[in-house]
Amino acid sequence: MRFTTKQRLDDGVLEREFILGEIPGILWTPASASAPVPLILLGHPPLGLRKMYPRLVARARHAAADGFAAATIELPGSGDRPRWAAAEQARTDLRRALEAGEPVSAELIDALILPLVDKAVPESQAALDALLSLPEIGGPVGYSGGVISVGIRLAVVEPRIVAAGFFAGSFVPRTMFEEARQVTIPLHVLLQWDDEGNDRQASLDLFDAFGSKEKTLHANMGGHTGVPQFAGEDAAGFFARHLR
């Protein structure tokens, strides 16, 4: 891991951009910490770190206010990272189906999501290796948001993640429902009830499939961008309970 930029935000949070191999990322740490702090790994949709930065830094500031570090990495095929043809074709096919008002087939969802999961999860684990080697970060680790299938796979294969907050609404391949049954860590799942791009019933079925003994579904009225402010406060309380 090589840090490339460093700045203090107006609330004192230290923001550092880094490169891990060829993967760009950002790390935020609290203004003052007398001991190594827990870490929240921030997921995001495949729109690129620059486009997602305002939302990511807001979430990171909230984490830092609670005494946690937060970090994120660029997803494969997003931002300035090299594209790969199969993913680009799947995205083109998805846009075509949505614009035509056609149902999104299970085969298209598989082509769109599964290669991303296969690439993103090992990269997230490599990022955890590097981040947890820093003296200011000591764990435990939480995972928050992003493509829910990436979060599911991480929750299954990465023992350092002890709690996860998921955003329902991503397309979910059929095989991920079976993986969801293997998830056992505490979960906090946010669902926008009127999300126009979300199959509500599929989200409810996925929540039911999770094998965790502690799992909470927070469903709020409104569309994809209508998440109420208090929903973030509820998620912060969830991580405070499980990372401190």
Side-chain angles (χ1 to χ4, degrees):
M1 172 184 283
R2 177 172 59 88
F3 289 107
T4 57
T5 69
K6 176 181 178 180
Q7 67 168 332
R8 286 280 179 186
L9 305 182
D10 54 14
D11 54 1
V13 172
L14 178 61
E15 177 184 279
R16 287 173 286 176
E17 296 186 5
F18 62 84
I19 294 290
L20 180 63
E22 299 179 351
I23 307 169
I26 310 174
L27 170 65
W28 296 270
T29 47
S32 60
S34 58
V37 298
L39 172 69
I40 299 178
L41 189 62
L42 302 178
H44 53 90
L47 300 175
L49 279 182
R50 297 305 164 198
K51 187 171 183 177
M52 292 302 302
Y53 176 82
R55 281 185 262 179
L56 288 166
V57 72
R59 291 162 61 193
R61 286 176 187 263
H62 283 299
D66 289 331
F68 306 140
T72 190
I73 59 173
E74 188 73 87
L75 286 169
S78 295
D80 296 328
R81 297 191 63 184
R83 301 297 191 263
W84 77 91
E88 291 296 298
Q89 184 60 54
R91 291 175 184 174
T92 298
D93 293 343
L94 174 65
R95 285 193 296 269
R96 184 182 300 118
L98 293 176
E99 289 169 0
E102 299 172 352
V104 180
S105 69
E107 290 75 20
L108 176 53
I109 293 173
D110 288 354
L112 183 72
I113 302 297
L114 292 178
L116 177 64
V117 172
D118 290 342
K119 289 176 178 286
V121 168
E123 291 183 352
S124 295
Q125 292 181 290
L128 286 181
D129 290 341
L131 291 163
L132 290 172
S133 71
L134 298 173
E136 62 267 37
I137 299 176
V141 179
Y143 177 84
S144 174
V147 179
I148 195 168
S149 293
V150 172
I152 291 170
R153 177 72 59 79
L154 273 171
V156 172
V157 304
E158 180 47 72
R160 291 172 293 186
I161 294 176
V162 302
F166 292 151
F167 298 164
S170 306
F171 293 110
V172 180
R174 296 160 294 186
T175 58
M176 297 308 301
F177 283 76
E178 188 57 40
E179 291 195 35
R181 294 182 176 90
Q182 303 174 50
V183 175
T184 58
I185 61 175
L187 297 179
H188 178 102
V189 182
L190 176 64
L191 170 64
Q192 285 301 103
W193 199 252
D194 305 303
D195 189 341
E196 60 281 357
N198 178 38
D199 184 335
R200 183 196 301 163
Q201 188 58 54
S203 294
L204 296 174
D205 292 343
L206 181 63
F207 180 79
D208 189 48
F210 286 125
S212 303
K213 291 182 179 179
E214 180 186 337
K215 55 181 180 179
T216 303
L217 178 67
H218 280 240
N220 298 287
M221 305 304 292
H224 190 74
T225 59
V227 180
Q229 181 177 349
F230 62 77
E233 297 168 358
D234 291 339
F238 166 79
F239 284 115
R241 288 196 305 276
H242 291 288
L243 298 185
R244 283 185 181 145

